Amino acid sequence: MSRIPLDTVQMQADSMKERLEMSTAEIGLAVRTTNCLEEKGVFTVNDLLHCTPEDLLSISNFGEKTLDEVYKALENVGFRRPPRLAK
């Protein structure tokens, strides 16, 4: 059995923490999108990951295209898009 060196585990944890603490502006969102999110108190990737698609779509001037932009930006920093619930 092989073991992962503790250094590697710590580096992965540090990397995750850094990505979660990134501001919404840092992940490449449009200024308008960032402003919409900040008006709702969403400032970091961690905040964003705690929002459901429905939460985001309830924001004024935030539609499907903006939602898609957000999920593409999250995917670019290593987070997967959540599944959409059937209506």
Side-chain angles (χ1 to χ4, degrees):
M1 176 164 103
S2 66
R3 294 178 183 237
I4 299 172
L6 194 55
D7 295 1
T8 304
V9 173
Q10 187 60 48
M11 284 174 40
Q12 289 173 340
D14 291 347
S15 171
M16 175 64 80
K17 187 173 188 272
E18 286 173 18
R19 288 184 294 149
L20 289 171
E21 292 173 352
M22 290 173 76
S23 74
T24 54
E26 287 179 283
I27 63 171
L29 296 175
V31 173
R32 186 188 70 75
T33 304
T34 300
N35 290 342
C36 286
L37 292 169
E38 288 180 354
E39 283 178 29
K40 281 293 197 180
V42 178
F43 297 98
T44 66
V45 168
N46 191 38
D47 295 338
L48 202 48
L49 292 173
H50 284 89
C51 294
T52 65
E54 292 73 25
D55 292 337
L56 296 173
L57 290 170
S58 73
I59 298 171
S60 180
N61 297 317
F62 201 105
E64 290 288 339
K65 280 186 177 180
T66 310
L67 185 66
D68 201 45
E69 174 195 352
V70 165
Y71 287 137
K72 282 181 181 167
L74 286 172
E75 287 170 356
N76 288 338
V77 292
F79 295 99
R80 282 193 282 150
R81 181 181 301 236
R84 292 295 300 266
L85 300 175
K87 292 183 180 180

